[in-house]
Amino acid sequence: MPAIDDLKNRKTPVFSPDDVTVLFVLGGPGAGKGTQCARLVSAYGFTHLSAGDLLRAEQNREGSQYGELIKDYIKNGLIVPMEVTIALLENAMRDAMTTTSTTTSSSTPTTTTSDKPVLKGKFLIDGFPRKFDQAVKFEEAVCPAQFVLFYDCPEAEMERRLLERGKTSGRDDDNAESIRKRFRTFVETSMPVVDYYERQDRVARVRADVSPDDVYAATQAELVKRLGENF
């Protein structure tokens, strides 16, 4: 994982948007982000990275220096320090592209003038950025995003979905108290991120309280509109 101090001081992205396509996927807890991302991965070959899943995996990884910190933040519905989340995302992106480069391009790899393979990939980053400073730092240090896919869903519907999921998920935060904390956190911290990108015409807003098939059709239309037919 990249050193936190290196990430804090970095002013140039490590990946070029010419080679790496990043879409941020935002929406309140229970908006259906994961469901839609799974379909996009299958249809278009994206790599789906869930910031929440990466954090949960790190908190359970034996020997993690950030495990307890992450656990406490998630349990209380708070946002984990951005350097930890961004470092986990960068590491996962690099791993995914290195694996793809090794398995698909070993015969005639694309190289730079220094003979290092150029890493290429398409990523859906789900549940990130959750704060304005996360957005700025990720684009400054890792890779500029193409745009934000924002799944817009009423809180009442999201709460219903999450409580149903909580019956089988085993997640500590799928209970009514934690859910409402997460809603408050999302409105207070993540909606300013959506507003920031919307002012730049970099938000694809998709209604998410309809059937999954209708949400997916609307998502596909936005991708074609913004990335073209052959992305």
Side-chain angles (χ1 to χ4, degrees), residues 92-107:
M93 291 170 68
R94 192 179 300 278
D95 284 350
M97 290 187 287
T98 300
T99 299
T100 300
S101 176
T102 300
T103 57
T104 64
S105 305
S106 57
S107 58

Side-chain angles (χ1 to χ4, degrees), residues 5 71 156 177 208:
D5 287 342
K71 184 176 181 179
E177 183 180 357

